[in-house]
């Protein structure tokens, strides 16, 4: 088991795959282990169990919140209702008491809802592609509004350089996570050693 703090990187791949890779490189340089789940949108199985396992093993989550809603489970979440996988990642991390940082990134001037290239149906024969896309754009807007109403601090970025800058600025907090993990590991080793001594002397 590593002593490095594990940081889950949550982002919609079609919008932030490049930024997520850059963030992962920064986290590695800062002494962390970045993790994420690549989601293409054509998965035939529910990825929420895998996400629970990965996020549960992490110390914190960084989510880049953008315009794209992204892939979603076929069946809505029983407690959260209809959420995308990226939104689920955030809510599950909060439920588990993980440290969460949110970067609200607007990298494009997309104008009105529906003008974006994101969240279009994969099926070219879809009967209502505009409605399909607009529905998901509205769901994402509602999610962002929910974050703001919930007083969750949003770090704003208008380009990838600003995203990188925000992550660089987390160095001190990430170092505290590393020290906390090392402390827990040390206590666990001490407890195991004490238990072994007691067994030998019993």
């Amino acid at each position: 088991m590593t002593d490095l703090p594990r940081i889950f990187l949550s982002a919609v791949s079609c919008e932030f795959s490049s930024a997520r890779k850059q963030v992962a490189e920064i986290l590695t340089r800062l002494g962390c282990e970045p993790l994420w789940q690549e989601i293409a949108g054509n998965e035939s199985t529910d990825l929420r169990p895998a996400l629970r396992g990965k996020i549960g093993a992490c110390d914190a989550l960084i989510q880049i919140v953008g315009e794209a809603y992204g892939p979603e489970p076929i069946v809505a979440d029983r407690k959260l209702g209809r959420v995308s996988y990226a939104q689920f990642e955030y809510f599950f991390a909060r439920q588990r008491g993980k440290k969460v940082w949110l970067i609200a990134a607007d990298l494009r001037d997309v104008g009105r809802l529906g003008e974006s290239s994101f969240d279009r149906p994969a099926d070219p024969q879809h009967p209502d592609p505009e409605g399909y896309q607009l529905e998901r754009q509205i769901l994402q807007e509602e999610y962002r509004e929910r974050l703001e109403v919930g007083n969750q601090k949003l770090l704003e970025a208008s380009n990838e350089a600003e995203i990188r800058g925000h992550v660089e600025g987390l160095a001190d907090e990430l170092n505290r996570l590393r020290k906390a993990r090392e402390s827990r590991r040390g206590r666990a080793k001490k407890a195991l050693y004490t238990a072994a001594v007691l067994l030998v002397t019993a």
Side-chain angles (χ1 to χ4, degrees), residues 80 83 90-91 141-152:
L80 299 173
V83 294
Y90 165 77
F91 288 124
E141 284 294 313
E142 291 175 346
Y143 172 65
R144 291 184 65 149
E145 291 172 1
R146 182 173 178 180
L147 295 177
E148 292 169 0
V149 170
N151 296 318
Q152 176 67 51

Side-chain angles (χ1 to χ4, degrees), residues 101-165:
W101 294 286
L102 296 175
I103 301 174
D106 292 304
L107 306 187
R108 302 184 181 204
D109 180 12
V110 297
R112 301 189 311 274
L113 288 177
E115 291 184 350
S116 167
S117 61
F118 299 126
D119 296 311
R120 295 185 183 276
D123 181 4
Q125 304 301 319
H126 192 282
D128 183 17
E130 291 80 10
Y132 177 97
Q133 182 191 45
L134 184 59
E135 180 182 38
R136 284 153 180 78
Q137 291 288 303
I138 291 172
L139 287 168
Q140 183 66 2
E141 284 294 313
E142 291 175 346
Y143 172 65
R144 291 184 65 149
E145 291 172 1
R146 182 173 178 180
L147 295 177
E148 292 169 0
V149 170
N151 296 318
Q152 176 67 51
K153 182 179 179 181
L154 297 173
L155 304 171
E156 297 184 356
S158 59
N159 53 58
E160 290 186 349
E162 291 181 356
I163 293 175
R164 295 194 301 271

Side-chain angles (χ1 to χ4, degrees), residues 72-92:
E72 64 181 347
I74 296 175
V75 179
D77 192 86
R78 184 170 55 87
K79 294 182 178 179
L80 299 173
R82 186 177 175 186
V83 294
S84 68
Y85 280 119
Q87 293 174 5
F88 173 82
E89 289 165 356
Y90 165 77
F91 288 124
F92 182 73

